[in-house]
């Protein structure tokens, strides 16, 4: 990202375009921190101009929904938001909204980090009982990677099977590949154009760091990720209604797309989408980078065997423990940098058990080996169950989820 | 157009990006010359790197088709081409090709200048008996003008009625609006993306003069005008065949789009489209600018009454005659700058009569008034007949022409 100031009206809510000022680098394609504890999320909130998910918001969510929030919210993994209070107002007034999330299908196998937004989105959908649209940006992957259109579309279908395996309700969920859907919905193309008319090259240069030698496909792509924020992009679901508000759960690196969307929405006569942002899922090697499908040793894939999971965790998961047992017993472990502990915060549902582990690891009573063993068991269970459900996803089910159709909601 | 050199591999066949070097300015949005005789088309051929439509080509066309060429070719109005000999080779070998032309629907009423490519395309289609696709770039007009999508689409339908009124065969012609068709044909969107992946901002800056404060919609638009050059953009016509060659009749100002298309086509594994370029249809005020719908006094519209035509020609058509009758009788008239004479070369079919008029006007025997009277009669007839046929074009006919469907050809 160039950090170069734009000559245009600044995109709202962005206090600074530069994300390099304190060594953290965050854009939709790269996440890197020089700190062992990873990205400073407090600073990111300030820089991106979003709001912290604070106790007040969490308490309000529990109050209006009448159930405890998901542990990913409780533990600060979904840590930032935009306009979540407006969404809760709507819910209180029994007014409709919808959920939108997505995935760039760059690899055959999804990894654990890819699951997080979907696990959380599923909880949101079940809790608020709202329609969900899931965009697979196979066109983006074609533009950015050395992939053919056919391969990008094939990966989108493969990833769709993983998403379906998470148990989304087919009557409430529409999954679409851009390469299929844009050519079957004039309203979606019209929303792309509306956004493209309002955003200049200067602006995408400032927001995404595009340069003069980038292809024109990349330059106009942000409009394609913006379009699903508007209910009019899905006439089959919303019956042509243009004003159904949207809530987008996503990792914080996707925020630039939606800052841009929120900037243009009012000028299009549309509502700004609300957002819930997650932290990154760290690489096995530590929180300086996020898990990446292009580095197999950094990732645990949903296709990994029990043995591969065990080997990877034991071999690569960065330890916050002492270098010797003696040193560990004496000084204790550091949960802030220990990857096994970090992963447990994502996947271990039992709050008390997790607190106990933290306490005992920090004191030096528990060794890294114990945390790894605990984590391996949990991951083997999650991945194993996923593998089983994934095997049951048929082409017909994919077809069902991906067919533009009415969902079980009235508009 | 900036004329700035690009940092990319140069687009083929273009000897210079600058079109301002000798006072003529030509790009898809502006045509201007400081010379009273208008654009120097010989220089334009050299600059654009195209070929002259010479006697040899005309004779070959007459030989392979067994009929005289259209007067627009004979009189040097379609004066330039790319790869027309390759198209004739195909025709001799009884191999298929198709025609592609288009229109940017920026105004309710089309003017005489807009008719020229369609009149000529119709002749090409009848002569070679090939399928024809006509693109209405309503998305372009939305991006460039202060128009809503709805208004741009409405204008596209209005213009379609004018095009249909010219007598195209519904069994051989597909007319489409981008706003309708792109959202109903994934293959078209895929070809847009293929082009967008291969063209950088630097390249469109060099070719079209786009700048940093242009919207991203404009920047990626050239791919949308490129896509219909590829038969795979019309699976309903070509049954998925990707290698049906394309011939594009258009005014020379559209050439930048197709230079770009010809540059990327081989890298996409596609055939380069062939082209036949026309000169511009001059404004009533003279050949320094082309007829423009945004200046009503420069144009004769297809909706003008007989009286309006008479008034406009008499009042505005630039005369190449002497300032007094005496001077005219003595020095003669100048056909090179006389707009009435120019228009007669476009619309008077009788070669001998036209030659006689030129001779007698040049000698001073005929006065400007005679040419104007002759022109008014011809234009009143053309516009009157068009008006009648236009009134008979129904919404059902529009629907028929614009429905993606098989045409009367086997692939």
């Amino acid at each position: 990202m160039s950090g170069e100031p734009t000559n245009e009206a600044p995109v709202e809510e962005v206090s600074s375009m530069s994300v390099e000022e304190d060594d953290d680098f965050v854009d939709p394609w790269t996440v890197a921190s020089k700190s062992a504890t990873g990205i400073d999320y407090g600073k990111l909130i300030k820089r991106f101009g979003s709001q912290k998910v604070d106790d007040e918001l969490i308490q309000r969510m529990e109050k209006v929904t009448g159930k405890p929030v998901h542990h990913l919210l409780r533990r600060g993994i979904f840590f930032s938001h935009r306009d979540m209070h407006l969404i809760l107002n709507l819910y209180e007034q029994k007014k409709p909204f919808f959920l939108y999330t997505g995935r760039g299908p760059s690899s055959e196998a999804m990894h654990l980090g890819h699951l997080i937004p979907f696990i959380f989105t599923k909880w949101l959908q079940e809790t608020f009982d709202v329609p969900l649209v899931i965009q697979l940006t196979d066109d983006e992957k074609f533009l950015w990677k050395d992939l053919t259109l056919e391969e990008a579309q094939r990966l989108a279908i493969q990833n769709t099977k993983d998403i379906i395996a998470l148990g989304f309700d087919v009557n409430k969920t529409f999954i679409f590949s851009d390469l299929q859907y844009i050519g079957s919905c004039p309203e979606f193309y019209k929303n792309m154009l509306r956004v493209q008319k309002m955003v200049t090259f200067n602006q995408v240069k400032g927001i995404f760091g595009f340069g003069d030698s980038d292809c024109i496909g990349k330059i106009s792509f942000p409009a394609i990720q913006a379009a699903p924020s508007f209910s009019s992009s899905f006439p089959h679901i919303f019956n042509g209604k243009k004003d159904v508000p949207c809530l987008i759960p996503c990792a914080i690196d996707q925020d630039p797309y939606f800052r841009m969307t929120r900037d243009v929405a009012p000028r299009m006569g549309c509502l700004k989408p609300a957002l819930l942002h997650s932290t990154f899922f760290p690489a096995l090697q530590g929180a300086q980078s996020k898990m990446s499908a292009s580095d197999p040793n950094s990732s645990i894939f949903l296709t990994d065997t029990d043995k591969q999971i065990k080997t990877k965790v034991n071999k690569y998961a960065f330890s916050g423990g002492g270098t010797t047992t003696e040193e560990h017993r004496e000084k204790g472990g550091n949960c802030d940098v220990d990857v096994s502990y970090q992963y447990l915060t994502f996947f271990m549902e039992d709050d008390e058990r997790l607190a106990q582990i933290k306490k005992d690891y920090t004191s030096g009573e528990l060794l890294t080996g114990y945390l790894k063993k605990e984590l391996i068991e949990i991951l083997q269970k999650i991945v194993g169950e996923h593998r089983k459900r994934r095997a049951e996803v048929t082409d017909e089910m994919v077809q069902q989820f991906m067919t533009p159709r009415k969902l079980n909601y009235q508009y």
Side-chain angles (χ1 to χ4, degrees), chain A:
Chain A
M1 187 172 269
S2 69
E4 200 171 316
T6 75
N7 297 327
E8 308 302 313
V11 172
E12 65 142 18
E13 303 175 348
V14 186
S15 62
S16 162
M17 286 300 171
S18 170
V19 291
E20 294 178 290
E21 55 195 17
D22 45 13
D23 297 341
D24 289 351
F25 186 100
V26 176
D27 80 6
W29 303 280
T30 309
V31 172
S33 171
K34 292 181 185 159
S35 158
T37 51
I39 303 293
D40 183 330
Y41 289 107
K43 280 194 185 166
L44 214 55
I45 283 179
K46 212 175 145 200
R47 192 190 297 143
F48 281 9
S50 61
Q51 280 75 48
K52 190 174 185 303
V53 172
D54 54 16
D55 289 345
E56 189 202 334
L57 178 63
I58 289 178
Q59 281 160 21
R60 189 173 172 214
M61 280 182 79
E62 298 196 329
K63 196 179 151 210
V64 304
T65 64
K67 62 186 249 190
V69 297
H70 195 278
H71 69 262
L72 289 170
L73 261 174
R74 218 157 52 220
R75 294 179 192 160
I77 290 165
F78 276 82
F79 72 104
S80 158
H81 75 100
R82 297 185 191 275
D83 283 346
M84 191 58 204
H85 281 290
L86 292 184
I87 293 291
L88 295 178
N89 294 348
L90 290 171
Y91 185 73
E92 282 183 322
Q93 297 160 25
K94 301 194 190 313
K95 287 186 184 159
F97 69 95
F98 74 102
L99 294 166
Y100 155 39
T101 192
R103 153 138 188 85
S106 57
S107 63
E108 181 92 28
M110 284 167 65
H111 61 54
L112 286 177
H114 296 141
L115 283 189
I116 303 306
F118 290 109
I119 289 172
F120 184 64
T121 300
K122 183 164 177 267
W123 176 82
L124 283 172
Q125 186 186 30
E126 288 166 357
T127 301
F128 291 99
D129 189 25
V130 285
L132 163 63
V133 297
I134 300 175
Q135 178 183 45
L136 291 149
T137 54
D138 40 11
D139 47 0
E140 176 202 7
K141 293 304 165 186
F142 167 74
L143 290 167
W144 261 264
K145 306 264 173 185
D146 186 18
L147 278 182
T148 62
L149 283 166
E150 293 67 29
E151 181 62 4
Q153 215 168 343
R154 196 186 66 77
L155 293 176
I157 301 298
Q158 292 308 306
N159 286 190
T160 295
K161 290 187 174 177
D162 279 308
I163 295 166
I164 292 172
L166 293 172
F168 287 101
D169 182 346
V170 70
N171 296 311
K172 300 181 172 183
T173 307
F174 173 51
I175 305 178
F176 65 100
S177 124
D178 287 342
L179 290 174
Q180 278 180 21
Y181 186 58
I182 295 175
S184 72
C185 181
E187 291 306 324
F188 192 98
Y189 178 57
K190 287 180 187 174
N191 279 335
M192 280 167 54
L193 279 175
R194 285 187 181 103
V195 176
Q196 286 177 355
K197 187 173 181 174
M198 300 217 171
V199 178
T200 66
F201 179 67
N202 260 331
Q203 287 172 320
V204 294
K205 195 159 81 173
I207 302 169
F208 301 99
F210 296 148
D212 286 14
S213 53
D214 275 313
C215 74
I216 58 175
K218 287 186 183 180
I219 290 166
S220 59
F221 175 76
I224 298 173
Q225 192 155 328
S229 310
F230 308 117
S231 60
S232 55
S233 293
F234 307 98
H236 55 280
I237 300 175
F238 301 106
N239 202 18
K241 265 192 99 169
K242 291 179 184 172
D243 53 357
V244 183
C246 175
L247 170 61
I248 305 172
C250 63
I252 187 81
D253 59 342
Q254 299 299 303
D255 188 63
Y257 286 114
F258 303 116
R259 285 203 299 274
M260 183 197 82
T261 309
R262 287 171 58 88
D263 184 53
V264 299
R267 289 187 281 142
M268 288 169 61
C270 291
L271 296 165
K272 293 182 182 189
L275 287 130
L276 272 169
H277 301 117
S278 74
T279 63
F280 307 110
F281 192 77
L284 281 164
Q285 286 74 10
Q288 290 94 332
S289 61
K290 66 172 180 173
M291 190 172 267
S292 163
S294 51
D295 177 5
N297 289 335
S298 80
S299 304
I300 291 170
F301 292 100
L302 298 177
T303 48
D304 282 349
T305 61
D306 284 0
K307 204 180 152 207
Q308 284 172 312
I309 292 170
K310 190 176 170 185
T311 308
K312 282 186 184 177
V313 170
N314 282 331
K315 194 166 169 187
Y316 298 114
F318 184 80
S319 166
T323 44
T324 62
T325 307
E326 291 67 38
E327 188 193 318
H328 186 77
R329 295 285 187 211
E330 190 192 327
K331 298 190 181 168
N334 180 356
C335 284
D336 291 342
V337 300
D338 191 282
V339 165
S340 301
Y341 177 77
Q342 298 294 323
Y343 284 17
L344 286 174
T345 66
F346 281 86
F347 293 112
M348 178 176 264
E349 292 185 13
D350 186 333
D351 284 344
E352 281 180 39
R353 180 112 188 261
L354 186 69
Q356 192 64 47
I357 286 174
K358 184 173 187 179
K359 188 167 162 257
D360 295 346
Y361 187 63
T362 307
S363 74
E365 191 178 328
L366 286 182
L367 296 176
T368 299
Y370 180 88
L371 263 65
K372 290 199 170 186
K373 188 168 162 284
E374 194 78 21
L375 177 65
I376 288 165
E377 270 171 31
I378 288 180
L379 295 186
Q380 284 176 341
K381 185 162 175 279
I382 288 173
V383 173
E385 285 174 0
H386 184 83
R387 200 187 300 126
K388 224 162 89 184
R389 287 193 309 265
R390 171 69 156 77
E392 288 162 9
V393 176
T394 62
D395 291 340
E396 287 67 36
M397 287 162 76
V398 170
Q399 177 71 25
Q400 270 190 299
F401 271 95
M402 299 187 88
T403 300
R405 66 205 186 282
K406 269 197 185 310
L407 298 181
N408 260 5
Y409 296 94
Q410 290 296 325
Y411 290 97

